[in-house]
Amino acid sequence: MSDLPPSGATEPAASGPPADPAAPPSPAAEPAPGPPGTTGGATPGSGASGADPWAGHTGPVPVVPDQPGYDSPQPGAPNPAGQPASGALPGWSAPGDVPPGHTPQGWNAPGTPPHGWNAPGTPPQGWNAPPGTPPHGWNVPPGTPPQGWAGPAYPGYPMPGAAYPVPGAAYPVAAGPGTYAGWFPGIDPQDPLVNPPHAGIGPWFARCTAALRRGWRQLLPIVLLTQVVPAAVIGVLTLVFSPEGELATAPDGAPVLPAGFWGQMFAFYGVLLSAGLIFGLLQAAGWAAGTWVVARQAAGEPTGLGAAFRYGLRRALGLWGWTLLVSLLVMIGSCFCLLPGLYAAFALALFGPVYLFERREPIGRAWRMFHSRFGMVLGRVALVMAVLFAATVLDAVVGGISGALFGVEPMTSVGTAVGAVALAVFGALLAAPAYLAQQVGLVVTYAEQRAQEGPVNAARLAAELG
């Protein structure tokens, strides 16, 4: 007989008790997992078709997604050996696969920032910046995401509670390496001479006082020699050449001038004009020397009185000529009315620094600077003029005291002459702080206006002086 089974024969059924349909299948019966991205077992159409478990069911039939890689067990079905369903992401645990009290792998608790992130308002690890200071290397203006971010991670960036940007900061928040919001690249907010754009009057005043602290040892001798001494000499000349005599009254009541009044008057104004022209050249040398000291000290370069005076004398003639022209314009404006003359004095106040630093059209440049940023320049120059006005008032008070003590003709006797001359010199000395404020204030104001036009710093300004 043949050992082969007869055709059409079927395999005998296994002996033993019948299988429990609710029991999980044995591991051997598990289909071999397929390649990634495919189902791990046989499709519903493979193999013999069994009985329909929903035959005769009249209710809604559960819908099982027919997606590639979706073969997770039905609700209530067992998960053999705790294996994740095929199609799950590596390193993630499905809900229900983690014992109670444990956090699934790759999941964070609600309200906990992801790993490597810091909570809002908390500086990164290893940073010890004071509150209100942006971290080093972060240069973002308000509302701008950091470099490399596609958009804000939280609504209303920066995050609530963040320590930056600082509300009401004196300086704008940096927008990137070497740039600042609304500024030109290369502007240093810590420059000792150049007040950055939009910094305000406070930093401008701080730079003026810092320049005085740095250079008062050189600036004070320059001011005393080139400003105070000429003012004292002119004051003494005023006492000596002032017209003598008093007005008399004619029998008909008309005023009568004293004898020789017009000769004395012409002599008086001639002497003052000559002294003003001569001492104007010395004063121009002093302004140039003081500007040289302020700029070079801000740039960290060495300064000395001898070098400062040599520079001042070299530039004195040109500055003196422009000073005469500006004084003439102010005088012409004052002849029409006091207001036009005052306006010309304010609008042309920066002609000296413009000439020393740029050497071109000082009147036109000063006029354009004043009108381009009218409020800013007007405020700075007004502070300088206020100091000069205070010095003028003090000098007038000293002159009134001198007239009350020594009379209107103090040079008629030695005692009264000495007293009047001493008070004249004292009044000139009282104006020294005003000269210092004028010297420093105008240079810092000019540097601030240059920063409004483009990148500039103290080193560049010092180099432009030559």
Side-chain angles (χ1 to χ4, degrees):
M1 293 180 66
S2 174
D3 294 335
L4 296 174
S7 60
T10 58
E11 188 172 347
S15 60
D20 186 3
S26 61
E30 288 286 330
T38 63
T39 57
T43 59
S46 64
S49 58
D52 186 4
W54 304 101
H57 184 75
T58 59
V61 179
V63 178
V64 179
D66 190 9
Q67 302 277 351
Y70 188 96
D71 56 355
S72 60
Q74 296 295 322
N79 189 1
Q83 298 179 0
S86 62
L89 296 177
W92 288 69
S93 301
D97 293 344
V98 181
H102 292 73
T103 303
Q105 183 179 3
W107 288 58
N108 292 280
T112 305
H115 179 69
W117 288 50
N118 293 280
T122 304
Q125 185 177 3
W127 291 33
N128 296 314
T133 304
H136 178 68
W138 285 53
N139 299 315
V140 291
T144 303
Q147 185 178 4
W149 288 37
Y154 296 91
Y157 178 86
M159 293 177 288
Y164 46 87
V166 186
Y171 301 105
V173 181
T179 61
Y180 293 85
W183 298 2
F184 293 94
I187 295 293
D188 182 9
Q190 303 300 326
D191 191 276
L193 181 62
V194 180
N195 193 32
H198 316 299
I201 192 67
W204 174 87
F205 185 77
R207 281 170 171 81
C208 292
T209 56
L212 285 175
R213 287 195 302 267
R214 285 192 304 266
W216 70 270
R217 292 178 179 84
Q218 290 81 20
L219 292 176
L220 186 58
I222 293 174
V223 166
L224 290 177
L225 182 60
T226 62
Q227 310 298 328
V228 173
V229 169
V233 172
I234 292 176
V236 173
L237 291 176
T238 302
L239 294 175
V240 172
F241 290 94
S242 59
E244 298 179 356
E246 297 180 359
L247 292 176
T249 304
D252 57 354
V256 177
L257 297 176
F261 174 80
W262 290 110
Q264 295 178 3
M265 185 63 67
F266 280 113
F268 173 73
Y269 283 108
V271 168
L272 291 185
L273 181 60
S274 301
L277 292 175
I278 295 172
F279 287 123
L281 187 61
L282 179 61
Q283 289 175 330
W287 290 124
T291 303
W292 185 85
V293 168
V294 172
R296 286 181 62 89
Q297 284 189 340
E301 299 179 7
T303 57
L305 282 178
F309 277 116
R310 285 193 296 271
Y311 174 82
L313 292 175
R314 190 169 70 248
R315 306 297 302 278
L317 187 60
L319 184 58
W320 177 62
W322 286 108
T323 303
L324 292 178
L325 183 56
V326 170
S327 301
L328 181 62
L329 293 175
V330 173
M331 186 184 304
I332 293 175
S334 301
C335 291
F336 290 100
C337 184
L338 179 62
L339 187 59
L342 188 62
Y343 186 85
F346 275 80
L348 303 177
L350 297 180
F351 83 94
V354 169
Y355 169 76
L356 294 174
F357 286 100
E358 302 181 29
R359 300 179 180 85
R360 61 186 177 93
E361 53 171 349
I363 293 180
R365 280 280 291 152
W367 184 271
R368 289 193 296 272
M369 279 186 177
F370 181 77
H371 292 90
S372 297
R373 290 162 291 276
F374 179 79
M376 181 186 299
V377 183
L378 178 63
R380 276 46 164 183
V381 175
L383 290 176
V384 174
M385 293 292 186
V387 177
L388 292 175
F389 180 75
T392 304
V393 171
L394 286 177
D395 185 65
V397 171
V398 172
I401 295 174
S402 175
L405 293 177
F406 309 111
V408 293
E409 297 179 359
M411 307 307 291
T412 56
S413 64
V414 176
T416 56
V418 171
V421 169
L423 283 179
V425 173
F426 178 71
L429 285 173
L430 288 179
Y435 295 136
L436 288 172
Q438 182 183 13
Q439 173 76 82
V440 173
L442 293 181
V443 173
V444 176
T445 301
Y446 169 79
E448 182 183 35
Q449 301 314 303
R450 286 287 301 274
Q452 297 282 341
E453 301 172 350
V456 71
N457 53 22
R460 176 177 174 179
L461 291 176
E464 289 180 359
L465 287 176

